[in-house]
Amino acid sequence: MGLLCSRNRHSNEADAKENAQAEEIERRIEQETRAEKHIQKLLLLGAGESGKSTIFKQIKLLFQTGFDEAELKSYISVIHANVYQTIKVLFDGLKEFSQNETDSSKYVLSGENKEIGEKLSEIGGKLEYPRLTKELAQEIETLWKDPAIQETYARGNELQVPDSAHYFMENLQRFSDANYIPTKVPGICFRVIQKK
């Protein structure tokens, strides 16, 4: 009989602990439910490379804390990749236009710029890109200013030249600075051109 009473008391203590734990769980669920009432959820659906991630980055930049310095530095290689890939698309497009157009004379580079274009096209075709140095930036700028490349750029919509190409080419010296850190300017997004 003494054993039965002892078990009963032990059982009541266990029930009390379980009840306290259940109450605590219920309280936490209620708190989380109240907190989530203020959260707006958004589901973006779309094909790959359609801009879903870019929208979230813009939201973070505009409505949250933005990017910290480490995140900004991680975009340097993306910016450099965009520069190399853009100049490759332009150079390859120039070669295509010079072979297929009736007035191909406007798509002819000088000998020196042709060498630069070949070198940069080779870099742009790699899987990994070197850091953009002042020397490479100068070569890209020289090629960018060539009238044949400008003529090709004017037809950039036929080559899928990114909208940001002009911005990249006008800021080469800044991008090639050893201390360069991307700015937190909203509305300017960087995308890597997908290789064919």
Side-chain angles (χ1 to χ4, degrees), residues 167-196:
Y167 175 80
F168 289 135
M169 297 305 147
E170 295 300 316
N171 289 281
L172 288 167
Q173 293 306 315
R174 188 167 62 92
F175 296 156
S176 65
D177 188 285
N179 299 317
Y180 169 68
I181 297 176
T183 58
K184 297 179 182 180
V185 178
I188 297 178
C189 300
F190 306 105
R191 69 177 176 91
V192 177
I193 302 168
Q194 196 169 21
K195 293 185 184 242
K196 292 181 181 178

Side-chain angles (χ1 to χ4, degrees), residues 9-40:
R9 185 181 317 137
H10 184 67
S11 178
N12 287 340
E13 287 175 10
D15 286 346
K17 282 183 182 179
E18 285 179 20
N19 287 340
Q21 286 177 342
E23 287 175 15
E24 177 64 20
I25 291 170
E26 289 294 326
R27 187 184 62 75
R28 286 184 184 173
I29 289 172
E30 191 176 312
Q31 271 183 333
E32 290 175 12
T33 303
R34 273 186 269 142
E36 283 195 18
K37 284 184 179 179
H38 302 292
I39 296 174
Q40 299 294 322

Side-chain angles (χ1 to χ4, degrees), residues 43-138:
L43 174 65
L44 292 178
L45 301 174
E49 300 297 319
S50 64
K52 298 178 300 292
S53 297
T54 302
I55 288 173
F56 282 114
K57 289 174 189 170
Q58 288 295 311
I59 289 170
K60 181 178 181 180
L61 188 62
L62 293 171
F63 301 109
Q64 292 180 338
T65 59
F67 302 118
D68 61 27
E69 190 170 324
E71 286 176 304
L72 289 172
K73 285 182 177 181
S74 73
Y75 284 106
I76 294 172
S77 61
V78 175
I79 293 168
H80 291 179
N82 272 287
V83 168
Y84 289 124
Q85 291 174 358
T86 298
I87 204 68
K88 176 181 176 32
V89 167
L90 288 170
F91 181 73
D92 293 350
L94 175 129
K95 289 192 306 188
E96 183 181 321
F97 291 154
S98 69
Q99 292 172 2
N100 299 330
E101 296 298 313
T102 53
D103 186 15
S104 63
S105 62
K106 58 185 175 182
Y107 299 105
V108 176
L109 291 170
S110 68
E112 183 180 316
N113 285 351
K114 189 174 182 181
E115 279 183 38
I116 293 172
E118 293 290 345
K119 173 184 170 183
L120 295 172
S121 182
E122 185 179 320
I123 291 172
K126 294 181 178 181
L127 294 176
E128 291 189 29
Y129 306 97
R131 183 167 178 86
L132 187 63
T133 63
K134 291 287 184 189
E135 295 78 25
L136 284 168
Q138 185 61 49

